[in-house]
Amino acid sequence: MIKITDPNDNSRAANQPIAFLEFAFRPLFLFAAIFSMISLLVWNGILTGNLNIRLFGGSLWWHMHEMLFAFATTVIVGFLLTAVQNWSGVRSLHGKGLGALVILWLLARIAFFFPDQLPHTLIITLDALFLPLSALALAIPIVKTKLWRNLMFIPILLIMAITNLITHYSAIANNPILMGQAATFMVLLITLVMCIMGGRVFPMFTANGTKTPRVDALPLLEKLSLISILITIFVAALATSTFIDVPALLVAVLFITTSVIHAIRVFRWKFSVTLSTPLVWSLHISYWCIVIGLLMFGLSQITYLVSHSQAIHTLTIGAMATMILSMISRVSLGHTGRIIAVGKTMSIAFVAIILAFVVRVFGLYFIANYSHVLSLTVALWIVGFGCFVVIYTPILLRPKAR
């Protein structure tokens, strides 16, 4: 892992923030992991009838929104606001500013539980501010040092912010179709970020973690990987809109083609050399789930053998959750000055999340009761992220190891 160093190391210790607010990854990774477990327990409790609670937007809207905007996107923000200091050499958001952003995030999570007590405008505002403010914090060091190569993340975060507003509009308008469309678009946007970051760092992580030669990137393949996913997202967005009629076959062909391109990309990274390195094989499996998810998404357009839900949960649990768990484990070690290696507990955690994907996507093939499928998925998720919380909370709270 490339270390992030503080450009102001010579400043007085008294002027330094507490360790937990030193970098964005510390609070955002930890709170996102904890909240993901809480939100799934609430969601499962509602579905099984064991919990009767009123949530802003309704339980389905809340589940879709929070897993995308309060979990996955929060981890992305934590990673970007941490990495930008390494890219630019400019001190990234920390201390009171970071604390204020975290409090805003926490207030939004709490507000969703009080739709009858709080004005809806206040609830929406609290939630909607997080991404634009995060984009601003990311933009300042990028623009200051003219790192235009990384500028792409600013519009991505702003598009996510607009998508968030659309999801809120779907809740206010009680429009479940728009809600599903916005959620699908958000899943694909996060997939885009995973593809960008995967291409940038996975070959390096593989080489460093396995002590094998790094696989050189093929410029044409790298361009095709990003162009194909961008075109696919654009066409998928058009297909769900009412402005133009896009044939389902065209959407299917684009998704399947994109899947093949990314399969070639990840195949070149040599999964076989990673089998003894959990922090690397978990990343490879997460990227293979992108390939599978895109393929299933395409097939869901032209056959009933694969459902839209299976494709979405392949991307969200198989790809996102696995990649997130692996990345936050690696980043938290590397950026706190610790050896980048995990033991049996985190290996079990990675296996648990992968099993959660298998059960959620394919569980009905071997478990007759749908509620049992969901409950087992949630249990496996809690094992996975629970291991992270238990092991990494002391690491994230303490100062960097010297």
Side-chain angles (χ1 to χ4, degrees), residues 12-89:
R12 292 178 302 172
N15 293 330
Q16 298 302 310
I18 62 173
F20 191 54
L21 297 177
E22 184 182 11
F23 288 106
F25 76 90
R26 291 177 178 266
L28 294 183
F29 286 3
L30 182 59
F31 287 157
I34 293 172
F35 183 74
S36 74
M37 295 188 291
I38 295 173
S39 64
L40 285 180
L41 283 172
V42 171
W43 170 240
N44 193 56
I46 293 172
L47 290 183
T48 57
N50 295 317
L51 186 63
N52 184 17
I53 186 171
R54 180 170 160 75
L55 298 164
F56 178 84
S59 58
L60 177 60
W61 183 94
W62 178 83
H63 168 66
M64 296 172 67
H65 180 275
E66 294 298 80
M67 292 309 293
L68 292 173
F69 291 97
F71 171 60
T73 306
T74 301
V75 172
I76 291 172
V77 168
F79 177 83
L80 291 176
L81 290 183
T82 300
V84 72
Q85 180 168 313
N86 186 64
W87 298 339
S88 65

Side-chain angles (χ1 to χ4, degrees), residues 131-258:
L131 277 169
L133 291 177
S134 299
L136 176 62
L138 181 65
I140 291 173
I142 289 177
V143 173
K144 183 179 291 187
T145 54
K146 299 180 180 180
L147 290 174
W148 309 129
R149 178 174 180 262
N150 296 309
L151 192 65
M152 71 178 82
F153 294 109
I154 308 304
I156 289 175
L157 289 181
L158 293 177
I159 293 171
M160 287 180 173
I162 294 171
T163 306
N164 189 23
L165 289 175
I166 294 173
T167 65
H168 281 287
Y169 175 78
S170 74
I172 297 299
N174 193 25
N175 188 335
I177 294 177
L178 180 60
M179 174 185 70
Q181 292 170 340
T184 298
F185 182 68
M186 188 62 185
V187 168
L188 295 177
L189 274 179
I190 297 173
T191 302
L192 170 64
V193 174
M194 291 192 295
C195 291
I196 293 172
M197 299 311 300
R200 284 191 176 190
V201 301
F202 285 13
M204 177 184 66
F205 289 170
T206 301
N208 293 346
T210 63
K211 309 302 180 184
T212 57
R214 178 172 178 171
V215 175
D216 293 329
L218 298 178
L220 178 60
L221 179 60
E222 294 304 301
K223 290 178 182 177
L224 283 175
S225 297
L226 295 183
I227 291 172
S228 63
I229 191 71
L230 284 170
I231 293 175
T232 299
I233 292 173
F234 177 73
V235 173
L238 286 180
T240 58
S241 71
T242 58
F243 301 110
I244 186 172
D245 184 18
V246 180
L249 181 60
L250 174 59
V251 177
V253 169
L254 282 172
F255 270 96
I256 293 171
T257 301
T258 301

Side-chain angles (χ1 to χ4, degrees), residues 72-391:
T73 306
T74 301
V75 172
I76 291 172
V77 168
F79 177 83
L80 291 176
L81 290 183
T82 300
V84 72
Q85 180 168 313
N86 186 64
W87 298 339
S88 65
V90 175
R91 190 70 167 98
S92 59
L93 188 67
H94 66 284
K96 293 180 180 179
L98 177 58
L101 187 68
V102 172
I103 291 172
L104 176 68
W105 181 89
L106 286 170
L107 289 175
R109 309 287 70 79
I110 296 170
F112 281 131
F113 284 86
F114 300 95
D116 297 325
Q117 292 77 25
L118 297 175
H120 287 186
T121 302
L122 174 61
I123 297 174
I124 294 171
T125 300
L126 287 172
D127 180 64
L129 282 174
F130 178 77
L131 277 169
L133 291 177
S134 299
L136 176 62
L138 181 65
I140 291 173
I142 289 177
V143 173
K144 183 179 291 187
T145 54
K146 299 180 180 180
L147 290 174
W148 309 129
R149 178 174 180 262
N150 296 309
L151 192 65
M152 71 178 82
F153 294 109
I154 308 304
I156 289 175
L157 289 181
L158 293 177
I159 293 171
M160 287 180 173
I162 294 171
T163 306
N164 189 23
L165 289 175
I166 294 173
T167 65
H168 281 287
Y169 175 78
S170 74
I172 297 299
N174 193 25
N175 188 335
I177 294 177
L178 180 60
M179 174 185 70
Q181 292 170 340
T184 298
F185 182 68
M186 188 62 185
V187 168
L188 295 177
L189 274 179
I190 297 173
T191 302
L192 170 64
V193 174
M194 291 192 295
C195 291
I196 293 172
M197 299 311 300
R200 284 191 176 190
V201 301
F202 285 13
M204 177 184 66
F205 289 170
T206 301
N208 293 346
T210 63
K211 309 302 180 184
T212 57
R214 178 172 178 171
V215 175
D216 293 329
L218 298 178
L220 178 60
L221 179 60
E222 294 304 301
K223 290 178 182 177
L224 283 175
S225 297
L226 295 183
I227 291 172
S228 63
I229 191 71
L230 284 170
I231 293 175
T232 299
I233 292 173
F234 177 73
V235 173
L238 286 180
T240 58
S241 71
T242 58
F243 301 110
I244 186 172
D245 184 18
V246 180
L249 181 60
L250 174 59
V251 177
V253 169
L254 282 172
F255 270 96
I256 293 171
T257 301
T258 301
S259 173
V260 171
I261 292 172
H262 284 268
I264 297 172
R265 189 190 205 194
V266 66
F267 180 79
R268 295 187 67 252
W269 297 341
K270 298 180 180 178
F271 174 71
S272 60
V273 304
T274 72
L275 298 179
S276 61
T277 314
L279 279 174
V280 183
W281 61 248
S282 54
L283 290 175
H284 280 244
I285 289 176
S286 72
Y287 207 98
W288 275 110
C289 284
I290 294 177
V291 172
I292 297 169
L294 293 173
L295 175 62
M296 295 178 76
F297 203 112
L299 292 176
S300 71
Q301 303 294 307
I302 54 177
T303 177
Y304 291 108
L305 297 176
V306 177
S307 70
H308 178 78
S309 176
Q310 285 179 302
I312 289 295
H313 285 95
T314 298
L315 291 173
T316 53
I317 303 178
M320 291 180 201
T322 306
M323 189 178 296
I324 284 172
L325 185 58
S326 184
M327 285 293 287
I328 63 178
S329 300
R330 168 182 286 274
V331 170
S332 298
L333 291 173
H335 294 336
T336 57
R338 290 167 172 83
I339 297 173
I340 304 176
V342 296
K344 291 182 179 179
T345 302
M346 285 311 299
S347 297
I348 292 171
F350 298 147
V351 172
I353 288 299
I354 294 166
L355 287 177
F357 147 65
V358 173
V359 171
R360 181 61 183 86
V361 175
F362 304 107
L364 284 177
Y365 295 147
F366 50 88
I367 301 176
N369 191 314
Y370 182 62
S371 66
H372 291 171
V373 170
L374 295 181
S375 296
L376 181 55
T377 301
V378 171
L380 288 166
W381 182 290
I382 289 173
V383 170
F385 281 92
C387 288
F388 173 83
V389 171
V390 170
I391 292 175

